[in-house]
mmCIF file of all heavy atoms in Angstrom:
data_model
loop_
_atom_site.group_PDB
_atom_site.id
_atom_site.type_symbol
_atom_site.label_atom_id
_atom_site.label_comp_id
_atom_site.label_asym_id
_atom_site.label_seq_id
_atom_site.Cartn_x
_atom_site.Cartn_y
_atom_site.Cartn_z
ATOM 1 N N GLN A 247 158.958 129.305 113.885
ATOM 2 C CA GLN A 247 158.251 128.340 114.735
ATOM 3 C C GLN A 247 159.084 127.060 114.871
ATOM 4 O O GLN A 247 159.238 126.525 115.965
ATOM 5 C CB GLN A 247 156.878 128.020 114.145
ATOM 6 C CG GLN A 247 156.096 126.951 114.912
ATOM 7 C CD GLN A 247 155.666 127.410 116.306
ATOM 8 O OE1 GLN A 247 155.216 128.529 116.482
ATOM 9 N NE2 GLN A 247 155.822 126.529 117.299
ATOM 10 N N ALA A 248 159.634 126.590 113.744
ATOM 11 C CA ALA A 248 160.455 125.373 113.813
ATOM 12 C C ALA A 248 161.702 125.618 114.650
ATOM 13 O O ALA A 248 162.116 124.755 115.434
ATOM 14 C CB ALA A 248 160.836 124.931 112.406
ATOM 15 N N LEU A 249 162.291 126.803 114.522
ATOM 16 C CA LEU A 249 163.496 127.108 115.315
ATOM 17 C C LEU A 249 163.184 127.111 116.802
ATOM 18 O O LEU A 249 163.965 126.629 117.619
ATOM 19 C CB LEU A 249 164.076 128.460 114.879
ATOM 20 C CG LEU A 249 164.775 128.469 113.520
ATOM 21 C CD1 LEU A 249 164.966 129.898 113.024
ATOM 22 C CD2 LEU A 249 166.121 127.749 113.586
ATOM 23 N N LEU A 250 162.021 127.638 117.173
ATOM 24 C CA LEU A 250 161.693 127.659 118.606
ATOM 25 C C LEU A 250 161.361 126.247 119.093
ATOM 26 O O LEU A 250 161.647 125.902 120.245
ATOM 27 C CB LEU A 250 160.563 128.658 118.896
ATOM 28 C CG LEU A 250 159.120 128.302 118.582
ATOM 29 C CD1 LEU A 250 158.444 127.568 119.734
ATOM 30 C CD2 LEU A 250 158.338 129.580 118.301
ATOM 31 N N ASP A 251 160.808 125.410 118.210
ATOM 32 C CA ASP A 251 160.577 124.016 118.588
ATOM 33 C C ASP A 251 161.921 123.305 118.808
ATOM 34 O O ASP A 251 162.104 122.590 119.789
ATOM 35 C CB ASP A 251 159.774 123.291 117.501
ATOM 36 C CG ASP A 251 158.336 123.814 117.395
ATOM 37 O OD1 ASP A 251 157.844 124.388 118.390
ATOM 38 O OD2 ASP A 251 157.710 123.657 116.332
ATOM 39 N N LEU A 252 162.852 123.530 117.869
ATOM 40 C CA LEU A 252 164.181 122.915 117.999
ATOM 41 C C LEU A 252 164.860 123.383 119.286
ATOM 42 O O LEU A 252 165.463 122.600 120.017
ATOM 43 C CB LEU A 252 165.063 123.296 116.796
ATOM 44 C CG LEU A 252 164.668 122.708 115.443
ATOM 45 C CD1 LEU A 252 165.463 123.370 114.318
ATOM 46 C CD2 LEU A 252 164.910 121.207 115.421
ATOM 47 N N TYR A 253 164.739 124.677 119.555
ATOM 48 C CA TYR A 253 165.363 125.238 120.763
ATOM 49 C C TYR A 253 164.786 124.579 122.016
ATOM 50 O O TYR A 253 165.515 124.225 122.948
ATOM 51 C CB TYR A 253 165.145 126.758 120.808
ATOM 52 C CG TYR A 253 165.832 127.411 121.972
ATOM 53 C CD1 TYR A 253 167.136 127.883 121.856
ATOM 54 C CD2 TYR A 253 165.206 127.527 123.209
ATOM 55 C CE1 TYR A 253 167.783 128.454 122.919
ATOM 56 C CE2 TYR A 253 165.841 128.096 124.288
ATOM 57 C CZ TYR A 253 167.130 128.567 124.148
ATOM 58 O OH TYR A 253 167.769 129.126 125.219
ATOM 59 N N THR A 254 163.458 124.412 122.027
ATOM 60 C CA THR A 254 162.790 123.839 123.202
ATOM 61 C C THR A 254 163.217 122.381 123.410
ATOM 62 O O THR A 254 163.445 121.949 124.542
ATOM 63 C CB THR A 254 161.256 123.942 123.047
ATOM 64 O OG1 THR A 254 160.923 125.296 122.713
ATOM 65 C CG2 THR A 254 160.534 123.554 124.326
ATOM 66 N N ILE A 255 163.345 121.647 122.310
ATOM 67 C CA ILE A 255 163.799 120.252 122.416
ATOM 68 C C ILE A 255 165.233 120.214 122.957
ATOM 69 O O ILE A 255 165.551 119.457 123.864
ATOM 70 C CB ILE A 255 163.734 119.551 121.030
ATOM 71 C CG1 ILE A 255 162.282 119.470 120.535
ATOM 72 C CG2 ILE A 255 164.354 118.157 121.099
ATOM 73 C CD1 ILE A 255 162.137 119.027 119.089
ATOM 74 N N LYS A 256 166.075 121.090 122.413
ATOM 75 C CA LYS A 256 167.484 121.111 122.830
ATOM 76 C C LYS A 256 167.619 121.521 124.296
ATOM 77 O O LYS A 256 168.487 121.032 125.010
ATOM 78 C CB LYS A 256 168.259 122.077 121.925
ATOM 79 C CG LYS A 256 169.713 121.713 121.770
ATOM 80 C CD LYS A 256 170.378 122.552 120.703
ATOM 81 C CE LYS A 256 171.867 122.309 120.712
ATOM 82 N NZ LYS A 256 172.578 123.125 119.747
ATOM 83 N N GLN A 257 166.748 122.418 124.707
ATOM 84 C CA GLN A 257 166.757 122.876 126.102
ATOM 85 C C GLN A 257 166.526 121.697 127.056
ATOM 86 O O GLN A 257 167.084 121.655 128.143
ATOM 87 C CB GLN A 257 165.626 123.895 126.248
ATOM 88 C CG GLN A 257 165.660 124.718 127.490
ATOM 89 C CD GLN A 257 164.489 125.712 127.508
ATOM 90 O OE1 GLN A 257 163.474 125.537 126.837
ATOM 91 N NE2 GLN A 257 164.631 126.754 128.276
ATOM 92 N N LYS A 258 165.690 120.761 126.648
ATOM 93 C CA LYS A 258 165.352 119.632 127.524
ATOM 94 C C LYS A 258 166.296 118.455 127.360
ATOM 95 O O LYS A 258 166.584 117.751 128.320
ATOM 96 C CB LYS A 258 163.916 119.159 127.237
ATOM 97 C CG LYS A 258 162.871 120.196 127.550
ATOM 98 C CD LYS A 258 162.831 120.507 129.046
ATOM 99 C CE LYS A 258 162.079 121.814 129.299
ATOM 100 N NZ LYS A 258 162.222 122.285 130.687
ATOM 101 N N PHE A 259 166.762 118.197 126.146
ATOM 102 C CA PHE A 259 167.580 117.000 125.893
ATOM 103 C C PHE A 259 169.062 117.336 125.681
ATOM 104 O O PHE A 259 169.871 116.440 125.534
ATOM 105 C CB PHE A 259 167.062 116.239 124.662
ATOM 106 C CG PHE A 259 165.741 115.545 124.884
ATOM 107 C CD1 PHE A 259 164.550 116.163 124.535
ATOM 108 C CD2 PHE A 259 165.691 114.273 125.443
ATOM 109 C CE1 PHE A 259 163.338 115.526 124.735
ATOM 110 C CE2 PHE A 259 164.479 113.623 125.637
ATOM 111 C CZ PHE A 259 163.297 114.252 125.290
ATOM 112 N N TYR A 260 169.406 118.618 125.598
ATOM 113 C CA TYR A 260 170.775 119.082 125.344
ATOM 114 C C TYR A 260 171.310 118.620 123.997
ATOM 115 O O TYR A 260 172.520 118.668 123.751
ATOM 116 C CB TYR A 260 171.736 118.653 126.470
ATOM 117 C CG TYR A 260 171.284 119.113 127.828
ATOM 118 C CD1 TYR A 260 170.697 118.234 128.720
ATOM 119 C CD2 TYR A 260 171.409 120.445 128.200
ATOM 120 C CE1 TYR A 260 170.241 118.656 129.953
ATOM 121 C CE2 TYR A 260 170.962 120.882 129.431
ATOM 122 C CZ TYR A 260 170.372 119.986 130.302
ATOM 123 O OH TYR A 260 169.924 120.417 131.512
ATOM 124 N N LYS A 261 170.452 118.094 123.155
ATOM 125 C CA LYS A 261 170.872 117.662 121.820
ATOM 126 C C LYS A 261 169.623 117.475 120.968
ATOM 127 O O LYS A 261 168.499 117.444 121.479
ATOM 128 C CB LYS A 261 171.644 116.349 121.890
ATOM 129 C CG LYS A 261 170.787 115.180 122.415
ATOM 130 C CD LYS A 261 171.409 113.831 122.123
ATOM 131 C CE LYS A 261 170.428 112.706 122.330
ATOM 132 N NZ LYS A 261 170.883 111.408 121.954
ATOM 133 N N ILE A 262 169.841 117.325 119.668
ATOM 134 C CA ILE A 262 168.749 117.007 118.748
ATOM 135 C C ILE A 262 169.072 115.658 118.077
ATOM 136 O O ILE A 262 168.187 114.862 117.798
ATOM 137 C CB ILE A 262 168.612 118.088 117.646
ATOM 138 C CG1 ILE A 262 168.425 119.491 118.252
ATOM 139 C CG2 ILE A 262 167.474 117.737 116.687
ATOM 140 C CD1 ILE A 262 167.047 119.837 118.718
ATOM 141 N N LYS A 263 170.376 115.469 117.863
ATOM 142 C CA LYS A 263 170.820 114.289 117.105
ATOM 143 C C LYS A 263 170.291 112.994 117.726
ATOM 144 O O LYS A 263 170.317 112.836 118.946
ATOM 145 C CB LYS A 263 172.354 114.278 117.090
ATOM 146 C CG LYS A 263 172.950 113.334 116.072
ATOM 147 C CD LYS A 263 174.435 113.601 115.938
ATOM 148 C CE LYS A 263 175.190 112.489 115.258
ATOM 149 N NZ LYS A 263 174.511 111.781 114.194
ATOM 150 N N ASP A 264 169.811 112.126 116.870
ATOM 151 C CA ASP A 264 169.339 110.785 117.242
ATOM 152 C C ASP A 264 168.054 110.770 118.075
ATOM 153 O O ASP A 264 167.622 109.699 118.501
ATOM 154 C CB ASP A 264 170.437 109.981 117.967
ATOM 155 C CG ASP A 264 171.650 109.769 117.094
ATOM 156 O OD1 ASP A 264 171.471 109.734 115.859
ATOM 157 O OD2 ASP A 264 172.774 109.676 117.628
ATOM 158 N N LEU A 265 167.486 111.927 118.342
ATOM 159 C CA LEU A 265 166.197 111.928 119.043
ATOM 160 C C LEU A 265 165.103 111.476 118.088
ATOM 161 O O LEU A 265 165.199 111.664 116.875
ATOM 162 C CB LEU A 265 165.865 113.329 119.557
ATOM 163 C CG LEU A 265 166.600 113.811 120.793
ATOM 164 C CD1 LEU A 265 166.164 115.241 121.114
ATOM 165 C CD2 LEU A 265 166.330 112.912 121.993
ATOM 166 N N ARG A 266 164.062 110.878 118.663
ATOM 167 C CA ARG A 266 162.928 110.440 117.843
ATOM 168 C C ARG A 266 161.787 111.439 118.020
ATOM 169 O O ARG A 266 161.249 111.574 119.122
ATOM 170 C CB ARG A 266 162.483 109.059 118.302
ATOM 171 C CG ARG A 266 163.537 108.009 118.045
ATOM 172 C CD ARG A 266 163.145 106.713 118.714
ATOM 173 N NE ARG A 266 163.898 105.604 118.151
ATOM 174 C CZ ARG A 266 163.633 104.338 118.422
ATOM 175 N NH1 ARG A 266 162.633 104.019 119.227
ATOM 176 N NH2 ARG A 266 164.360 103.381 117.882
ATOM 177 N N VAL A 267 161.480 112.124 116.949
ATOM 178 C CA VAL A 267 160.464 113.178 117.024
ATOM 179 C C VAL A 267 159.293 112.818 116.102
ATOM 180 O O VAL A 267 159.498 112.506 114.928
ATOM 181 C CB VAL A 267 161.053 114.546 116.606
ATOM 182 C CG1 VAL A 267 160.002 115.642 116.773
ATOM 183 C CG2 VAL A 267 162.297 114.869 117.422
ATOM 184 N N ALA A 268 158.101 112.849 116.660
ATOM 185 C CA ALA A 268 156.903 112.590 115.856
ATOM 186 C C ALA A 268 156.112 113.883 115.693
ATOM 187 O O ALA A 268 155.914 114.620 116.664
ATOM 188 C CB ALA A 268 156.042 111.534 116.529
ATOM 189 N N ILE A 269 155.704 114.147 114.467
ATOM 190 C CA ILE A 269 154.855 115.302 114.199
ATOM 191 C C ILE A 269 153.461 114.741 113.926
ATOM 192 O O ILE A 269 153.295 113.894 113.039
ATOM 193 C CB ILE A 269 155.390 116.110 113.000
ATOM 194 C CG1 ILE A 269 156.847 116.517 113.284
ATOM 195 C CG2 ILE A 269 154.532 117.345 112.753
ATOM 196 C CD1 ILE A 269 157.556 117.144 112.106
ATOM 197 N N ILE A 270 152.504 115.185 114.733
ATOM 198 C CA ILE A 270 151.200 114.521 114.740
ATOM 199 C C ILE A 270 150.087 115.485 114.331
ATOM 200 O O ILE A 270 149.993 116.590 114.891
ATOM 201 C CB ILE A 270 150.902 113.954 116.154
ATOM 202 C CG1 ILE A 270 151.962 112.896 116.497
ATOM 203 C CG2 ILE A 270 149.495 113.354 116.227
ATOM 204 C CD1 ILE A 270 151.956 112.471 117.948
#
Side-chain angles (χ1 to χ4, degrees):
Chain A
Q247 176 67 43
L249 287 164
L250 77 87
D251 292 337
L252 291 170
Y253 184 90
T254 309
I255 296 170
K256 208 171 172 182
Q257 194 179 22
K258 296 295 164 190
F259 289 95
Y260 304 103
K261 63 164 194 174
I262 304 280
K263 194 168 164 35
D264 299 332
L265 284 178
R266 294 171 162 189
V267 183
I269 304 172
I270 297 168

